[in-house]
Amino acid sequence: MARKVIVAGNWKMNKTASEGVALVEALKPLVADVCECCAEVVVCPTFTTLSAVVEACKGSNVKVGAQNVHWAESGAFTGEISAAMLKEAGVEYVIIGHSERRQYFGETDATVNSRLKAAVAAGLKPIVCIGETLEEREGNKTEAVLGKQLEDGLKDLDSATVGAMVLAYEPVWAIGTGKTATPEMAQETHAFIRSKVAELFGKEAAENVRIQYGGSMKPENAEELVRQADIDGGLIGGAALKADSFAALVKNAIKGAGC
């Protein structure tokens, strides 16, 4: 079964509400011909920009995701956002466990698991990030690190839930550095991730789960990366902040998938 390509733009801490709407309005006509049967286009703004962007995306084929979610339904968690709040705001996807959350804000595999369960319970579609640092890669620890992130981050989930979610492989050493794993390097790691999902949750879940590449994917390399058997799209940072570059990346990713 062919997996649907998914390209998600993570805006990080960029774009006010008005700027976000302007970006989406510029993006919509550029991706209007992208068939939803073979590809999904997602933008993930900041929390304060979400509502305006959701409204701007209505009636288009651009979906909206959030950049984080808390595990509790409500309570004394200043600065946090619950899954129910995101759901009511019209959000469809949510990024969980991004490397920057892990690096700067103490995110762990255990908190990823808690956030993930809350997102799934609320009917949100999670994009769960995993990845290794340069030190871990150079120490030949990539598979051990990714295996543990999958085991602990997806703990207690059933195979159907895992098969329906999105994983994003982020080689941390390639984010925002301009460094990119070769398509062959990326494919080797994606193939390992899929094999680990098969080991933990069964063959069907492994065949269904979509695995994005999240390491400096650009319009220039998107086609070649997505042409690889186990790369199903990208989680995009800088290239998602301009409509023309993001649209070009989406189109090239679709070409790579043979759509």
Side-chain angles (χ1 to χ4, degrees):
M1 183 190 73
R3 292 179 296 271
K4 188 186 295 188
V5 171
I6 178 166
V7 179
N10 177 15
W11 294 1
K12 305 189 179 183
M13 197 176 72
N14 295 289
K15 304 296 181 184
T16 63
S18 58
E19 290 169 343
V21 169
L23 174 53
V24 166
E25 293 296 353
L27 176 65
K28 287 191 297 185
L30 299 178
V31 297
D33 60 344
V34 172
C35 177
E36 292 188 71
C37 63
C38 70
E40 287 184 283
V41 180
V42 185
V43 294
C44 300
T46 62
F47 287 138
T48 57
T49 305
L50 277 174
S51 294
V53 168
V54 165
E55 188 63 30
C57 288
K58 285 182 179 176
S60 77
N61 60 348
V62 179
K63 303 176 187 298
V64 183
Q67 297 177 17
N68 194 20
V69 62
H70 198 264
W71 53 81
E73 293 182 6
S74 62
F77 301 102
T78 301
E80 292 291 336
I81 304 289
S82 74
M85 294 170 185
L86 294 178
K87 189 72 174 176
E88 188 170 298
V91 169
E92 186 170 342
Y93 282 92
V94 60
I95 299 170
I96 298 173
H98 191 278
S99 61
E100 290 158 3
R101 300 296 311 174
R102 294 175 188 262
Q103 180 179 355
Y104 301 125
F105 303 105
E107 191 82 81
T108 66
D109 294 332
T111 59
V112 165
N113 184 247
S114 296
R115 296 181 199 277
L116 174 54
K117 289 173 180 174
V120 169
L124 296 171
K125 298 176 182 177
I127 298 173
V128 180
C129 301
I130 59 174
E132 85 283 20
T133 64
L134 181 60
E135 182 181 6
E136 289 165 342
R137 173 166 278 271
E138 290 180 342
N140 295 316
K141 297 177 180 176
T142 294
E143 292 188 359
V145 169
L146 298 180
K148 186 174 189 305
Q149 289 175 339
L150 289 168
E151 288 174 9
D152 295 350
L154 307 185
K155 186 179 178 182
D156 300 326
L157 297 178
D158 60 45
S159 58
T161 298
V162 173
M165 70 173 53
V166 178
L167 297 174
Y169 166 57
E170 302 181 289
V172 178
W173 47 272
I175 298 173
T177 64
K179 295 181 180 180
T180 309
T182 65
E184 293 75 21
M185 288 168 61
Q187 164 57 24
E188 181 181 7
T189 307
H190 277 239
F192 165 75
I193 293 168
R194 203 174 297 284
S195 70
K196 186 66 177 181
V197 172
E199 176 189 319
L200 295 171
F201 299 99
K203 183 178 179 181
E204 185 175 357
E207 289 176 348
N208 289 337
V209 69
R210 292 181 290 173
I211 310 174
Q212 298 175 312
Y213 177 68
S216 294
M217 184 183 280
K218 303 178 284 287
E220 296 77 16
N221 62 17
E223 181 176 352
E224 193 174 3
L225 282 163
V226 178
R227 189 177 294 131
Q228 306 302 310
D230 292 295
I231 300 179
D232 304 312
L235 181 60
I236 315 303
L241 296 176
K242 293 184 178 179
D244 55 355
S245 63
F246 189 53
L249 191 155
V250 168
K251 298 291 181 69
N252 289 340
I254 292 170
K255 284 182 192 174
C259 290

